[in-house]
Amino acid sequence: MKTKNILSVLAVSALVFTGCVDLDTIPEGNIVTSDQKDEILESDPSKAEASVNAIYTQFSLFATVITETERHNDIGYPALMLFMDTNGADFLSDDNGYNWMGNSLTFDDRIFTSYESRINWGVLYNQIYAANTVISFLGEDSENPDYQNYVAQAHAARAFDYWVLAQLYQFNYTNHKSDPCVPIITEKNALTVTDEGCPRATVEQVYAQMMEDINKAISVLEDSPLKRRDKRYISVDVAYGIRARINLSMGNWAAAAEDADKAISLSSSSPYTIEQMKRPAFNSADDNSWMWGIKIAETDEVVTTGICNFPSHMGSFNYGYCWYSGGRQINKMLFESIPATDVRKGWWLDENTQSPNLNEDDMEVINTYYGPYTQVKYAPYKGELWTSTNASDIPLMRIEEMYLIKAEGQAMSGNVAGAKTTLESFIQEYRDPEFTCKATSPQDMQEEIYHQRRIELWGEGMSWFDIMRLNKGVDRRGAGYPNASSIFNIQPGDPILLWRLPEKEIQANKALSNNDNNKATPIPSPVPDFGE
């Protein structure tokens, strides 16, 4: 589409589609007819597959949103994972000159001119644009089963993107259905957006769009004969997992549990075992636990940069910014709440910088750069210590999350006994054989499951969604933050928790004005830590 939008951020999208972008136009810019599209596909069927590949390419591109300068955190969706986790209270780091997430530590990222603001918006709407291109080009009525599969994947990817957007730009669905969320751009209105603009839709409207998309995806993928090549692609179990997340965010508890259970039953994945968790891991989509992930190749630009990638910022054993930023630590109180019998306690260094998961060679790296509570959850690429080839895959969905969603959905729909069985069975078999759940009410069960999610999904870009859907605050007191300037006690519902639409979007979108944006809010004031 020559009029690709959302408006200010998609100008560079065409650079990554090479041969598959603007599939609905001919060189003169006129719209291709259905017959012409069929001719294109008949003469070059690879264009159809290339179009869906472009969706997943968007997840890990370097320097495609901020084009006027090089930002080493402009690394695709993993940047959002880091921003969101850093905004919370469980993902600590030192606010020093090597930490590219410093603005997210202090909430300076909420300024609507910030690079982080533009990266959030640009990454997600570029992915939406890629999905729109697939749907528009291949069409909803194709009789080719492969093309039907590609369109279904595009619908699922678009649902995922709007699910993320909804939780960045507005509070939870339950209490804010009629509040403004984000503009909805689909293949149906993309051609009119440049001239007319597109206003913010309500939270309810955005969730309706994502639910429509994911329902379409599931209806096709359930019967599709096409098997995915690898885990970068969305399969039917992943689609059910996405819908389980959406239903969880909407408070559709029974539906969330049902979808999570369906994802488990359809998936070939199984949780990491206790033995597998006694060593650093989480670096390969080939791991059986992973349902969906970002596949990274050694030749990808995010890798060849050396330092502009997720492992560089996140890792502990590989070369990158992590060596100089001091790495990422867990909330000290959260760490102390993990029983010694839980294998996950070894995912972080203890107060003496020790972990039972590490050998002598591992400790040589750790002792060189890191202090207590630093993560050793993520292994380096191919397990090679000191490596500067940061080509690790990045998790987007693991089967363990589905067990936690199922348990929460059961509890909150009134089946506390079933939820307790689901949770205890999962934790006892795969994490802590001595675990017992003491919760007796739906709300207590939900809190216990939230606690388990904070541990299990730590560092995987999931914590912010729980903060928003459960109406939590961000209390960093007692967590062990190294900078007094990062210690906040932000109350639930504080407007600083919402991102603002980027200034460039407000300027470019004719249907938006400054009055349509989320409230401009001063960054939070630091508070005394416990014991001060």
Side-chain angles (χ1 to χ4, degrees):
M1 301 168 192
K2 295 300 180 186
T3 54
K4 48 183 169 279
N5 286 287
I6 204 128
L7 297 164
S8 65
V9 299
L10 299 180
V12 297
S13 292
L15 298 177
V16 302
F17 280 80
T18 54
C20 61
V21 76
D22 292 339
L23 293 172
D24 56 351
T25 64
I26 55 180
E28 293 78 13
N30 296 320
I31 301 300
V32 173
T33 66
S34 296
D35 288 343
Q36 287 172 320
K37 288 181 180 180
D38 291 340
E39 290 175 9
I40 292 171
L41 289 172
E42 185 175 345
S43 63
D44 187 2
S46 66
K47 286 186 179 294
E49 185 174 4
S51 68
V52 76
N53 285 340
I55 297 173
Y56 303 111
T57 299
Q58 290 284 340
F59 273 85
S60 59
L61 291 175
F62 171 60
T64 58
V65 176
I66 309 300
T67 56
E68 69 273 21
T69 186
E70 188 174 274
R71 299 292 298 173
H72 288 193
N73 56 2
D74 186 2
I75 56 174
Y77 188 74
L80 278 64
M81 296 167 65
L82 290 164
F83 297 159
M84 290 187 288
D85 276 346
T86 303
N87 280 158
D90 292 338
F91 192 77
L92 287 63
S93 57
D94 187 7
D95 192 5
N96 61 34
Y98 295 98
N99 185 356
W100 280 81
M101 309 307 146
N103 283 343
S104 297
L105 272 172
T106 59
F107 283 85
D108 283 287
D109 55 10
R110 294 307 195 268
I111 300 170
F112 78 157
T113 56
S114 74
Y115 291 119
E116 292 84 1
S117 174
R118 291 171 58 189
I119 290 169
N120 275 352
W121 195 262
V123 164
L124 293 168
Y125 274 106
N126 281 346
Q127 291 172 189
I128 289 169
Y129 169 67
N132 290 344
T133 299
V134 174
I135 298 168
S136 177
F137 181 51
L138 298 181
E140 303 277 9
D141 55 356
S142 173
E143 296 182 0
N144 184 309
D146 288 357
Y147 300 170
Q148 292 173 358
N149 182 289
Y150 299 154
V151 171
Q153 289 190 62
H155 278 297
R158 191 166 71 184
F160 169 80
D161 291 323
Y162 279 119
W163 176 73
V164 176
L165 283 163
Q167 296 174 93
L168 295 178
Y169 294 96
Q170 194 47 263
F171 292 110
N172 66 22
Y173 176 88
T174 305
N175 300 316
H176 297 271
K177 293 180 185 178
S178 61
D179 288 344
C181 192
V182 295
I184 298 175
I185 306 296
T186 70
E187 77 286 355
K188 297 176 183 177
N189 67 343
L191 292 175
T192 65
V193 169
T194 296
D195 292 334
E196 301 174 9
C198 188
R200 296 177 72 178
T202 66
V203 170
E204 189 169 29
Q205 289 169 331
V206 174
Y207 272 87
Q209 178 62 52
M210 67 178 85
M211 192 60 82
E212 177 184 336
D213 275 331
I214 199 61
N215 287 341
K216 285 182 178 179
I218 289 173
S219 68
V220 172
L221 293 173
E222 277 191 309
D223 299 318
S224 176
L226 183 65
K227 304 301 180 184
R228 62 176 177 175
R229 295 182 184 177
D230 57 54
K231 293 179 184 176
R232 88 188 70 186
Y233 302 102
I234 295 175
S235 52
V236 63
D237 58 319
V238 174
Y240 270 109
I242 292 172
R243 197 169 74 179
R245 289 177 175 179
I246 295 170
N247 275 318
L248 197 72
S249 298
M250 296 177 73
N252 296 335
W253 305 115
E258 183 178 345
D259 282 339
D261 190 57
K262 191 73 171 179
I264 293 168
S265 66
L266 291 174
S267 181
S268 60
S269 296
S270 60
Y272 283 114
T273 66
I274 289 176
E275 285 303 311
Q276 289 172 325
M277 292 291 84
K278 290 180 179 179
R279 289 289 295 156
F282 302 94
N283 61 346
S284 174
D286 292 334
D287 287 357
N288 200 44
S289 159
W290 294 32
M291 298 170 63
W292 186 32
I294 302 173
K295 291 280 289 183
I296 304 293
E298 292 184 8
T299 54
D300 289 350
E301 190 175 5
V302 289
V303 178
T304 59
T305 62
I307 56 175
C308 304
N309 47 64
F310 184 78
S312 170
H313 297 295
M314 177 70 181
S316 295
F317 298 103
N318 51 272
Y319 169 75
Y321 279 111
C322 52
W323 285 1
Y324 307 100
S325 68
R328 265 61 188 172
Q329 291 78 42
I330 188 174
N331 182 317
K332 183 175 72 171
M333 292 192 298
L334 179 59
F335 177 82
E336 291 172 348
S337 74
I338 304 172
T341 52
D342 191 323
V343 70
R344 294 173 296 185
K345 197 157 186 117
W347 291 359
W348 300 274
L349 303 177
D350 64 17
E351 66 275 13
N352 299 312
T353 65
Q354 299 294 312
S355 165
N357 290 11
L358 306 184
N359 59 34
E360 186 176 337
D361 291 337
D362 300 329
M363 289 305 303
E364 183 180 355
V365 184
I366 293 302
N367 289 336
T368 304
Y369 296 106
Y370 306 109
Y373 308 110
T374 297
Q375 73 86 14
V376 291
K377 174 181 178 178
Y378 282 95
Y381 180 56
K382 292 183 176 180
E384 297 175 1
L385 300 174
W386 311 95
T387 185
S388 59
T389 304
N390 291 328
S392 296
D393 300 333
I394 302 159
L396 291 173
M397 183 183 292
R398 291 191 292 114
I399 195 73
E400 289 89 342
E401 180 194 354
M402 296 300 109
Y403 287 93
L404 297 173
I405 291 177
K406 179 181 176 180
E408 184 175 351
Q410 288 174 314
M412 297 303 290
S413 60
N415 185 6
V416 174
K420 185 173 181 178
T421 297
T422 298
L423 185 63
E424 286 187 337
S425 297
F426 165 64
I427 299 294
Q428 289 172 3
E429 182 172 358
Y430 297 107
R431 297 296 180 262
D432 181 2
E434 298 185 21
F435 173 78
T436 57
C437 178
K438 297 180 175 62
T440 57
S441 70
Q443 289 70 32
D444 288 345
M445 278 296 308
Q446 187 177 55
E447 282 301 307
E448 175 60 38
I449 294 162
Y450 174 52
H451 179 252
Q452 294 297 332
R453 288 175 65 93
R454 290 170 67 193
I455 299 167
E456 181 68 34
L457 304 176
W458 185 95
E460 298 180 42
M462 295 296 294
S463 63
W464 193 254
F465 305 131
D466 288 336
I467 289 171
M468 296 303 283
R469 72 181 179 86
L470 297 174
N471 195 31
K472 300 288 186 180
V474 177
D475 187 354
R476 295 177 175 173
R477 296 173 298 171
Y481 277 82
N483 310 109
S485 57
S486 299
I487 300 173
F488 306 127
N489 182 19
I490 303 171
Q491 297 301 302
D494 191 307
I496 195 63
L497 298 176
L498 296 182
W499 289 77
R500 304 192 72 214
L501 279 63
E503 181 186 45
K504 286 182 175 290
E505 178 62 27
I506 297 293
Q507 293 171 342
N509 191 329
K510 294 179 180 179
L512 295 176
S513 70
N514 287 330
N515 292 332
D516 298 310
N517 211 340
N518 290 332
K519 180 181 178 181
T521 305
I523 61 172
S525 299
V527 298
D529 206 350
F530 291 147
E532 292 184 356

